[in-house]
Amino acid sequence: GLFVGKEGPMIHSGAVVGAGLPQFQSISLRKIQFNFPYFRSDRDKRDFVSAGAAAGVAAAFGAPIGGTLFSLEEGSSFWNQGLTWKVLFCSMAATFTLNFFRSGIQFGSWGSFQLPGLLNFGEFKCSESDKKCHLWTAVDLGFFILMGIVGGLLGATFNCLNKRLAKYRMRNVHPKPKLVRVLESLLVALTTTVVVFVASMVLGECRQLSSTSHSGNGTLSLQSMSEDVNSSIKTFFCPNETYNDMATLFFNPQESAILQLFHQDGTFSPVTLSLFFLLYFLLSCWTYGISVPSGLFVPSLLCGAAFGRLVANLLKSYIGLDHIYSGTFALIGAAAFLGGVVRMTISLTVILIESTNEITYGLPIMITLMVAKWTGDFFNKGIYDIHVNLRGVPLLEWETEVEMDKLRASDIMEPNLTYVYPHTRIQSLVSILRTTVHHAFPVVTENRGNEREFMKGNQLISNNIKFKKSSILTRAGEQRKRSQSMKSYPSSELRNMCDEHITTEEPPEKEDLLQQMLERRYTPYPNLYPDQSPSEEWTMEERFRPLTFHGMVLRSQLVTLLVRGVCYSESQSSASQPRLSHAEMLEDYPRYPDIHDLDLTLLNPRMIVDVTPYMNPSPFAVSPNTHVSQVFNLFRTMGLRHLPVVNAVGEIVGIITRHNLTHEFLQARLRQHYQTI
């Protein structure tokens, strides 16, 4: 089969279950309804996803503590003390549930909870006849550090090659029909099969066994080894009482091959280990990223174990260090290569310790992983971070660099605001929602008094004119954008739903209602500037509108209000607008209706929506002079998605999202900052 691991799909499956469980509803089973009003927020959903990912790791390796640390180190961008206990409990439950069913199904002894996880690395123990053997000594730490350096270099090479392959797939494979992805997977599988057979037949060596006994299916057993290791030795066209070392590594499941490298008393020739490492390195790098559920832990462990076993053979054969234990070097090699690829330290150390049940390996594994991480970080990022960046996911780091404190919130914010008024016409709301993908919108009013002060030259008013004069979204520009987007709507789709009982003058049949509406230039505040209309000939001072900030309203809330017909007529008071309860607003969570699925024939663009009862009037906000590190910590600790930037007089001058805090974005803004100095 393909050189992939099972832990990746298990982590993904656990995260999917965690994301779907708190919803208590299904698209396929719509008739089954649960009135469960809890866990209905994005924060709760993130917590369940973190717990599900940790449960997947715990089930794969039998390492509940390692699964918890994995979720903390790699799977979460928001963490708190309460979440630690919840995730640990979930990981423990997953581990013991797996052990309960394995004890009954595989071993016929229900309730034997001492069984390991799906991946078992066996017991590391020197032979009683070898008095000079030690699992590891202080002298071996020097070799472990060197192996960590080499593992970091190999991991950086792996990540570089895989990144190039991923970019190639994004440009040439993913845009094409899905059949191309299937064909690519078949090509990788075919190539892997051919390479495995040819390498085993041509490059494999027939090694002599000290004592052998035949068993079925061309498999030999060593009496001096444990039964698990014995049953996985392959003859593969070799004479009797010999085995093919290359076939033993290639034709076994990856878990069995890892056990061979960890515990096999027989030898693998250095040439075989070198060729196996090279072929497995290239094929696993090519395989990771194709359209097949796959994990990277097990292939990296096997590839690194071959590297570690090769080092042990060279030290024994050419340097004469007979005291070393080959299994320890294989384990350290696996940790070095895996650490160089994924750049994990704490969680990977605990996972390997829990999988081997050998606490004495804690120090050498930790040292090796740290050296491998430092070496690899000198060249590129970990494989997970690389793919996260390629997908454009704004996953934040743990902290920003020290030099980023030279930037302020005004340097990284987005000044081109798309905003709504407290009382906004349906025409404007539909245009905004259809022409943007923002998750939330600031609710503002135009401060006419401050505008007059600005036109008089008074510097007391809004600072946003100082930050990005050329980038300010003017009311004229927004009006044009909204009007252009509305021109694509068929006029026959615009009909009244909210004021069915209000008599309105019917337009002539041949007259375009929408065009008439646009020509009259309706605005949410028709009496604000009754004698003026936005014009491109206006100066910056005339176009500029200081925006007083009142709160934030979510996209899902606006769409829900439109779907439910929450609006009122211009001739009526906003008190006549229907009111929705909190439960009604969250009724469609988490699959809120999409604006493009909205039936425009049920909407009257002249109607007005009062968003003030549904907006958040006191969201988290920062000053334009706030340091980037403080903004970053606020996002990390509070799990925010957007952060308004408000000046001293209560006017919004920009907004910050997670995309504005990614490492690449901050680096680009820092370069611009240096250029302007």
Side-chain angles (χ1 to χ4, degrees):
L2 295 172
F3 293 160
V4 296
K6 66 180 69 173
E7 77 290 338
M10 292 191 65
I11 296 172
H12 190 190
S13 300
V16 170
V17 172
L21 187 62
Q23 300 175 17
F24 285 92
Q25 55 182 318
S26 172
I27 295 179
S28 304
L29 306 174
R30 294 182 182 274
K31 295 183 179 180
I32 301 179
Q33 297 289 338
F34 292 95
N35 186 15
F36 194 78
Y38 308 102
F39 310 124
R40 311 293 284 181
S41 66
D42 289 338
R43 172 174 292 184
D44 294 328
K45 191 173 183 178
R46 287 197 301 266
D47 293 349
F48 273 87
V49 170
S50 300
V57 176
F61 293 95
I65 301 177
T68 303
L69 295 176
F70 173 85
S71 181
L72 168 64
E73 190 173 7
E74 289 291 333
S76 301
S77 61
F78 171 74
W79 198 268
N80 58 29
Q81 186 176 4
L83 184 59
T84 304
W85 163 248
K86 299 173 185 176
V87 173
L88 179 60
F89 179 81
C90 183
S91 300
M92 287 288 187
T95 303
F96 287 111
T97 301
L98 173 67
N99 289 344
F100 176 77
F101 284 100
R102 288 191 66 204
S103 63
I105 296 174
Q106 290 187 256
F107 303 97
S109 177
W110 292 93
S112 298
F113 290 107
Q114 71 275 11
L115 297 173
L118 296 178
L119 299 177
N120 180 21
F121 294 155
E123 182 181 2
F124 288 78
K125 186 177 181 181
C126 289
S127 175
E128 296 180 358
S129 59
D130 190 357
K131 302 300 182 181
K132 297 182 180 180
C133 175
H134 300 283
L135 290 182
W136 67 278
T137 62
V139 178
D140 297 335
L141 285 177
F143 295 108
F144 296 160
I145 293 175
L146 294 177
M147 292 174 65
I149 295 175
V150 176
L153 295 174
L154 293 173
T157 305
F158 184 96
N159 294 351
C160 180
L161 295 176
N162 190 263
K163 182 179 180 180
R164 292 178 178 271
L165 284 172
K167 289 183 176 180
Y168 176 82
R169 290 188 177 107
M170 294 175 67
R171 289 194 305 265
N172 303 289
V173 178
H174 294 174
K176 296 182 179 179
K178 295 182 179 179
L179 180 61
V180 178
R181 301 189 187 186
V182 177
L183 294 177
E184 183 196 16
S185 302
L186 294 177
L187 175 62
V188 175
L190 177 62
T191 305
T192 302
T193 304
V194 172
V195 169
V196 167
F197 271 92
V198 172
S200 300
M201 295 178 62
V202 177
L203 304 177
E205 295 186 14
C206 295
R207 313 286 296 181
Q208 189 71 30
L209 295 176
S210 57
S211 61
T212 62
S213 62
H214 289 276
S215 62
N217 299 326
T219 304
L220 296 175
S221 299
L222 279 174
Q223 299 295 333
S224 59
M225 300 181 194
S226 64
E227 184 178 353
D228 292 338
V229 178
N230 292 346
S231 60
S232 59
I233 296 178
K234 304 295 182 181
T235 56
F236 200 75
F237 301 110
C238 283
N240 293 335
E241 298 185 357
T242 60
Y243 69 96
N244 189 316
D245 54 357
M246 185 73 77
T248 300
L249 296 176
F250 268 132
F251 281 95
N252 277 309
Q254 296 177 95
E255 294 81 1
S256 300
I258 292 175
L259 285 176
Q260 285 283 347
L261 293 170
F262 283 174
H263 304 292
Q264 229 260 47
D265 288 338
T267 59
F268 297 92
S269 69
V271 176
T272 298
L273 291 173
S274 301
L275 293 174
F276 174 80
F277 173 81
L278 179 61
L279 295 175
Y280 208 94
F281 179 93
L282 296 176
L283 289 175
S284 60
C285 182
W286 186 21
T287 304
Y288 187 73
I290 63 175
S291 300
V292 171
S294 59
L296 192 62
F297 266 58
V298 176
S300 298
L301 287 173
L302 179 54
C303 198
F307 160 66
R309 190 64 181 258
L310 173 62
V311 173
N313 286 4
L314 294 177
L315 293 177
K316 281 186 175 182
S317 303
Y318 297 99
I319 301 182
L321 299 179
D322 297 331
H323 72 281
I324 64 175
Y325 181 59
S326 299
T328 299
F329 276 77
L331 177 64
I332 296 301
F337 184 76
L338 181 57
V341 172
V342 300
R343 313 290 164 79
M344 294 164 51
T345 53
I346 302 175
S347 58
L348 189 53
T349 301
V350 176
I351 288 174
L352 293 177
I353 291 176
E354 288 185 290
S355 300
T356 58
N357 292 322
E358 187 60 56
I359 191 63
T360 58
Y361 281 143
L363 178 62
I365 290 176
M366 174 59 78
I367 292 177
T368 304
L369 288 176
M370 290 300 298
V371 173
K373 174 180 170 56
W374 291 337
T375 305
D377 286 342
F378 185 78
F379 298 96
N380 50 34
K381 292 185 177 182
I383 189 69
Y384 297 146
D385 294 329
I386 288 175
H387 281 270
V388 165
N389 292 335
L390 290 177
R391 297 298 187 277
V393 179
L395 187 64
L396 301 184
E397 304 287 344
W398 282 104
E399 58 185 7
T400 60
E401 299 177 2
V402 178
E403 61 178 351
M404 293 301 173
D405 257 354
K406 297 178 181 178
L407 299 176
R408 304 299 175 97
S410 58
D411 297 320
I412 66 172
M413 70 181 185
E414 174 56 51
N416 296 329
L417 299 176
T418 302
Y419 50 86
V420 299
Y421 296 111
H423 301 263
T424 307
R425 292 190 182 276
I426 288 181
Q427 169 201 355
S428 297
L429 289 181
V430 173
S431 301
I432 291 173
L433 294 173
R434 287 209 168 192
T435 56
T436 64
V437 293
H438 304 314
H439 179 71
F441 303 92
V443 181
V444 303
T445 54
E446 295 179 355
N447 194 336
R448 189 177 183 185
N450 280 359
E451 180 191 6
R452 290 177 176 175
E453 293 294 330
F454 175 81
M455 296 177 67
K456 293 178 181 179
N458 193 327
Q459 297 298 321
L460 177 64
I461 62 97
S462 174
N463 290 327
N464 62 353
I465 196 67
K466 299 178 182 178
F467 293 141
K468 302 287 181 182
K469 279 189 177 182
S470 61
S471 302
I472 290 178
L473 182 63
T474 64
R475 289 299 300 147
E478 186 186 6
Q479 185 79 7
R480 288 196 305 273
K481 183 175 69 172
R482 295 179 181 179
S483 300
Q484 291 172 359
S485 63
M486 288 296 293
K487 288 180 181 179
S488 61
Y489 300 164
S491 59
S492 59
E493 294 184 356
L494 298 173
R495 193 158 47 84
N496 185 5
M497 178 192 71
C498 301
D499 57 342
E500 295 179 353
H501 303 289
I502 300 176
T503 58
T504 57
E505 182 180 355
E506 294 293 336
E509 294 181 358
K510 297 183 179 180
E511 186 175 2
D512 192 333
L513 174 63
L514 178 59
Q515 187 63 31
Q516 181 190 44
M517 176 185 62
L518 294 177
E519 290 176 355
R520 294 176 62 181
R521 293 186 181 274
Y522 277 95
T523 61
Y525 289 92
N527 59 343
L528 189 60
Y529 298 100
D531 56 341
Q532 294 181 354
S533 297
S535 172
E536 295 185 11
E537 287 74 22
W538 281 12
T539 63
M540 174 61 69
E541 290 79 3
E542 292 172 332
R543 290 182 180 184
F544 176 66
R545 298 288 187 271
L547 304 175
T548 301
F549 180 66
H550 297 285
M552 297 289 293
V553 62
L554 301 180
R555 166 181 287 268
S556 59
Q557 293 174 322
L558 294 177
V559 177
T560 301
L561 294 177
L562 293 177
V563 171
R564 299 295 184 93
V566 179
C567 53
Y568 67 96
S569 174
E570 185 177 355
S571 60
Q572 294 179 327
S573 169
S574 60
S576 62
Q577 174 177 282
R579 291 290 186 264
L580 296 182
S581 64
H582 181 71
E584 291 175 322
M585 292 293 293
L586 296 179
E587 185 175 337
D588 296 322
Y589 177 87
R591 299 180 181 90
Y592 291 106
D594 188 80
I595 185 62
H596 296 283
D597 299 330
L598 188 62
D599 187 3
L600 296 180
T601 61
L602 303 178
L603 299 177
N604 181 359
R606 292 195 179 101
M607 301 298 289
I608 300 175
V609 178
D610 180 9
V611 301
T612 54
Y614 310 100
M615 71 179 185
N616 180 8
S618 56
F620 288 98
V622 294
S623 166
N625 296 322
T626 306
H627 289 283
V628 165
S629 59
Q630 294 177 278
V631 176
F632 192 91
N633 292 334
L634 192 58
F635 267 83
R636 287 285 309 189
T637 55
M638 303 307 300
L640 303 180
R641 289 192 175 187
H642 38 259
L643 186 65
V645 182
V646 182
N647 64 11
V649 293
E651 296 166 354
I652 185 170
V653 295
I655 196 166
I656 299 174
T657 65
R658 284 175 173 256
H659 291 279
N660 301 112
L661 294 173
T662 58
H663 180 74
E664 291 75 14
F665 186 88
L666 292 179
Q667 287 285 356
R669 289 305 172 93
L670 187 62
R671 288 192 294 268
Q672 293 180 5
H673 175 75
Y674 285 140
Q675 292 175 359
T676 56
I677 295 179

